[in-house]
Amino acid sequence: MKILVAVKRVIDANIRVRVKPDHSGVETANVKMAMNPFCEIAVEEALRIQQAGDAEEVILFSAGPQKCQETIRTGLAMGADRGLHVLTDERLEPLAIAKMIAAAAEQQGADLIILGKQSIDDDHNQTGQIVAALMRRALGSYISEIKKVAGGFAITREIDAGLEKLRITSPAVVTTDLRLNEPRYASLPNIMKAKKKPIDELSVADLGVDIGCRTEILSVVEPPARQAGVMVSDAGELVDKLKNQAKVI
Amino acid sequence: MMSYSAPIRDLTFAATELADLHGVCRLPGFEEVTAELLQSILEEAGKFAGEVLAPINWSGDQQGVRLENGQVRTADGWQEAYQQFIQGGWNGLPFATEVGGQGLPWLVATAVAEIWHAANMSFSLCPLLTQSAIEAIQAHGSAQQKATYLPKLVSGEWSGTMNLTEPQAGSDLSAVKTRAVAEGDHYLLSGQKIFITYGDHDLTDNIIHLVLARTPHAPPGVKGISLFIVPKFLPDAHGNWKLRNDIETLSLERKLGIHASPTAVLGYGAKSGAVGYLVGEENHGLIYMFTMMNVARHAVGVEGNGVAERAYQQAVAFAAQRIQGREIDDPSGERVAIIHHPDIKRLLLLQKCRIEALRALALLVGGCMDHERRQTDAQLQTRAREMVEIMTPIVKGYATELGLENVSLALQVHGGMGFIEETGAAQHYRDQRITPIYEGTTGIQALDLIGRKLIRDGGAMNGRVIERIREQCGALANARELAAMTDGMAKALAILQESANSIVASAADNMQLPAAVSEPYLRLWGVVACGWQMLKAADVSLTKQQDKQPADGRGDQQDATFYRNKLHTARFYFSSEMPKVHALGEIISTSSQLVVAADASLFQAG
Ligand SMILES: Cc1cc2nc3c(=O)[nH]c(=O)nc-3n(C[C@H](O)[C@H](O)[C@H](O)COP(=O)(O)OP(=O)(O)OC[C@H]3O[C@@H](n4cnc5c(N)ncnc54)[C@H](O)[C@@H]3O)c2cc1C
């Protein structure tokens, strides 16, 4: 089995994100970037499946500017085998990324595609779903457990009502939830080995997909600052305020 | 508690643009090392330090260590963090691949070590001591000792300690009394060692003590001290290291700081004698110790600067968030964060310029350690060795003393909250206090600097090193734009050379005289050496600013800000730190007689 893991370069989770003065997007020029945390979980799971003897190869995929190779290297240092980088400076929507992942997975013959359930920058929560639809493959979203079984995978999904256990057929697409695993730290020997692992650079044309945007960003603004709370003396006052001030009940 | 974010940009800058990483990479054995590899290593180390080591720094301080039924227990989270640390392969970073290390340069090791110490000083002392033990066995152990101990010490499966100090023998190791009596293929040791860092703990299966002791007919003084390997556990009949050696942890010290690092009193041989194995030859112990001393002293200097960096980060965060007062030129304006006040900015700038200068100096010496070991050109190798000789007591002495001032300034930024334990600034202040003491006090470093490194050859080596610095500073690309700084540097070097001459001259009269000003002389050297680094940094920054092409592929804008700030910081160093050379020069030339002439009555009460 071959596993393709999609990894995205995003603003580091510990950084306070600032909106650009012209409201065209968020400031990325001077800020620390890192692998999207859900993608780290995806890489970790692929490596665990490989270590359990259920996969021969773990391939990392990333699309975006040159610097995405650093993100791929991070995953290679965790233990993945090689990388694919689609070099483009265009703005990428989930649909475009999904098309590229689908095309790459087809080319590589990947049986399992693992993605983070969402990226912490745009919070779309769409890419995995679109990949599955484009490829007409089984989808397991928000998984907190996955095991290889005959003909497919046994998965556990985190849903509003609790946990849902399913069996899906291979080939499949899964997206990772937070509790799936705790990603490893790259070890020093693996960091050194990662330097020698190959990253193939592709162009959008190599994949033969149209990455044109279907949406246009009109404006990006900071969320409104939170107002200070008020203490209420009893339940009666609370109900009164909810009814007459907040008008929510 | 405050988080820690490894200063990766500045570490890579210091390594690649000031400490000549590229030159180090050309040394035999380092062909695979590149700036990109350094970057990845620092990023992953920074991540591990920030997420695993830094969060248990404060809890470790509060909880401390305890002695239970003769066994030392470390604080919560310590065992897990240590396992992760060694599984990550970090323990063996600079050691040979043949014994399981990663074979990376000391330059890289220095940069990574700063990250560990900053994140968690108490934790990082364990690998630091193991590193010293590895160095000692590597350099002087027999083939069999190397095969037995190095792989496990390098992997971190076992840890190492240094047992020098005894109640009557601290700075003066000639007074060591611990006895070692030959018995067959080994020796039996008896005596007491105090202040032994990680002398006992529960992180590893075995602890390899390196112990200084005397054999029965050894000559008195330093020429009669031998070095022994004394494992906590010995191999049983099946070769399993399970047999308890006759070493007892008598007590743990209660201390001002580094509460999570056990400082043990160890009793050797109370029952049958502790089994030890001689390293090298009898009576050569102190010489062996000296060969590894450079590495250990350098490491403590890096430690002192790392703790200062941590405290500085905390001070910056606090200053940006604490609202107090208004802009001094806008009394009716809004209340502002204290980082707007000129005096707070000055406090932060002082810390920043010192930390960055010391970081560059420590990395430079790390790189010289690599040239010393692997350079094939004899002349370059000698130059590197001389730089290491002179700079080691300076990095140890000056980075720790200045580190002490820095953590005090960081605490000051916090106002009253700095004095309150929960804030966390106080921990760095307490922890830092040991760095100018252990591994040879500042006074002892200063004696080393004026003795072995200056007076011994009449100042010849010292003069050569000064001359090389002078040459470098005279050949800067942007000498004209930096005229004010190069001027200051030239004057500082002249004062340093004059002071060195006067010390050499006075030594011929009476050794008391140079000893009396040895510490100011060490500081003078420290100010100048740091100035040298900041001048180079300013020169590189100017060149990079003029370069339209971003050389290393990083974002233009990000780099522009970095270099502009670096230049600013360097200028501040020259305006606020460099002038100290005049005062220190004055102190050196005028105070020694007054110190020497002071007799006991002067210190009597009343
Ligand atoms: C927390 C901690 C951890 C330690 N870890 C270890 C360890 O792991 N292994 C180990 O072996 N030791 C360890 N030590 C011991 C440490 O190295 C010594 O404390 C240090 O070297 C100073 O020795 P001393 O305490 O005997 O002070 P002393 O030597 O008594 O010095 C007292 C003062 O006199 C000055 N002085 C002494 N001699 C001279 C001189 N000739 N000229 C000028 N001034 C002089 C010193 O600078 C100092 O200011 C540790 C100590 C502490 C507190």
Side-chain angles (χ1 to χ4, degrees), chain B residues 279-559:
Chain B
V279 176
E281 290 173 42
E282 279 188 14
N283 302 331
H284 284 55
L286 216 59
I287 302 167
Y288 299 156
M289 276 291 171
F290 267 105
T291 58
M292 45 150 289
M293 212 91 103
N294 277 346
V295 175
R297 290 184 165 175
H298 176 253
V300 173
V302 172
E303 178 183 53
N305 202 40
V307 175
E309 163 75 28
R310 179 81 185 268
Y312 164 73
Q313 287 188 13
Q314 180 153 352
V316 171
F318 184 87
Q321 158 259 305
R322 170 72 175 164
I323 309 286
Q324 201 70 192
R326 296 173 169 79
E327 296 276 11
I328 194 159
D329 52 359
D330 185 12
S332 55
E334 293 276 305
R335 297 175 83 220
V336 294
I338 57 172
I339 200 161
H340 289 267
H341 300 317
D343 190 54
I344 294 289
K345 288 208 278 195
R346 182 190 62 85
L347 287 174
L348 294 174
L349 264 170
L350 262 182
Q351 294 169 64
K352 182 175 164 69
C353 75
R354 292 164 169 181
I355 291 168
E356 291 182 8
L358 286 165
R359 170 178 297 137
L361 187 66
L363 291 187
L364 177 100
V365 177
C368 290
M369 281 156 50
D370 293 314
H371 282 283
E372 193 186 0
R373 286 162 173 74
R374 295 182 189 236
Q375 180 54 259
T376 46
D377 177 322
Q379 198 192 353
L380 291 180
Q381 189 196 26
T382 306
R383 283 176 171 223
R385 186 182 49 74
E386 292 185 345
M387 191 61 81
V388 172
E389 294 275 308
I390 299 262
M391 290 301 168
T392 298
I394 294 167
V395 169
K396 161 64 169 91
Y398 195 56
T400 59
E401 291 285 350
L402 213 56
L404 215 56
E405 290 179 26
N406 286 340
V407 292
S408 181
L409 299 183
L411 192 147
Q412 187 71 14
V413 168
H414 289 77
M417 285 309 285
F419 199 69
I420 304 302
E421 280 290 351
E422 272 76 10
T423 311
Q427 185 192 350
H428 307 310
Y429 183 79
R430 290 185 284 102
D431 284 354
Q432 180 75 292
R433 194 60 192 88
I434 185 62
T435 62
I437 296 174
Y438 59 19
E439 206 48 54
T441 59
T442 311
I444 296 302
Q445 306 303 321
L447 287 183
D448 179 44
L449 187 63
I450 64 156
R452 272 183 291 273
K453 316 291 166 70
L454 178 66
I455 295 167
R456 184 159 74 177
D457 66 356
M461 175 172 78
N462 191 68
R464 285 194 295 275
V465 171
I466 291 178
E467 204 40 50
R468 278 169 214 144
I469 295 175
R470 199 196 309 276
E471 268 167 34
Q472 257 199 32
C473 296
L476 298 179
N478 304 287
R480 206 147 15 99
E481 289 91 322
L482 297 173
M485 285 162 82
T486 48
D487 221 43
M489 190 66 198
K491 288 195 184 112
L493 285 168
I495 291 172
L496 178 62
Q497 185 61 65
E498 255 169 55
S499 301
N501 294 346
S502 79
I503 284 179
V504 173
S506 67
D509 265 9
N510 175 359
M511 258 314 282
Q512 296 266 342
L513 294 171
V517 291
S518 58
E519 204 266 7
Y521 174 72
L522 182 145
R523 281 183 187 262
L524 172 61
W525 237 128
V527 177
V528 176
C530 285
W532 171 37
Q533 295 310 306
M534 282 321 234
L535 182 55
K536 280 201 296 183
D539 189 47
V540 172
S541 298
L542 265 180
T543 304
K544 291 275 171 169
Q545 277 188 335
Q546 290 150 5
D547 266 5
K548 295 286 177 293
Q549 297 301 94
D552 48 4
R554 296 178 71 95
D556 244 344
Q557 194 186 343
Q558 193 165 344
D559 267 6

Side-chain angles (χ1 to χ4, degrees), chain B residues 129 162-167 169-172 194-197 255 258 263 434 437-444 447:
Chain B
L129 268 301
M162 304 306 295
N163 285 242
L164 288 62
T165 309
E166 298 177 10
S171 300
D172 177 12
I194 62 167
F195 295 159
I196 306 308
T197 301
K255 318 189 283 288
I258 53 169
T263 305
I434 185 62
I437 296 174
Y438 59 19
E439 206 48 54
T441 59
T442 311
I444 296 302
L447 287 183

Side-chain angles (χ1 to χ4, degrees), chain A residues 115-234:
Chain A
L115 306 90
K117 72 169 179 182
Q118 66 197 73
S119 57
I120 60 166
D121 50 0
D122 294 332
D123 275 342
H124 280 302
N125 190 344
Q126 294 175 349
T127 309
Q129 291 87 329
I130 302 175
V131 171
L134 288 173
M135 300 185 83
R136 307 201 165 280
R137 286 189 178 188
L139 169 72
S141 48
Y142 323 128
I143 61 164
S144 60
E145 224 181 324
I146 178 168
K147 240 185 91 186
K148 178 97 188 66
V149 293
F153 305 94
I155 59 167
T156 304
R157 300 182 62 231
E158 302 212 344
I159 56 173
D160 285 350
L163 299 176
E164 181 181 53
K165 291 187 184 291
L166 291 178
R167 191 163 282 212
I168 58 175
T169 52
S170 180
V173 177
V174 296
T175 71
T176 61
D177 216 320
L178 204 60
R179 277 161 290 270
L180 178 59
N181 61 47
E182 210 176 296
R184 72 193 62 191
Y185 291 100
S187 72
L188 184 54
N190 277 340
I191 296 168
M192 294 173 68
K193 274 186 216 141
K195 291 286 140 200
K196 296 194 197 110
K197 293 178 180 172
I199 298 179
D200 290 330
E201 198 177 292
L202 309 173
S203 65
V204 177
D206 292 333
L207 295 173
V209 298
D210 161 25
I211 60 163
C213 284
R214 268 59 170 175
T215 61
E216 186 189 339
I217 293 177
L218 300 178
S219 146
V220 176
V221 292
E222 297 265 357
R226 270 183 60 171
Q227 305 285 321
V230 281
M231 294 292 282
V232 291
S233 51
D234 54 34

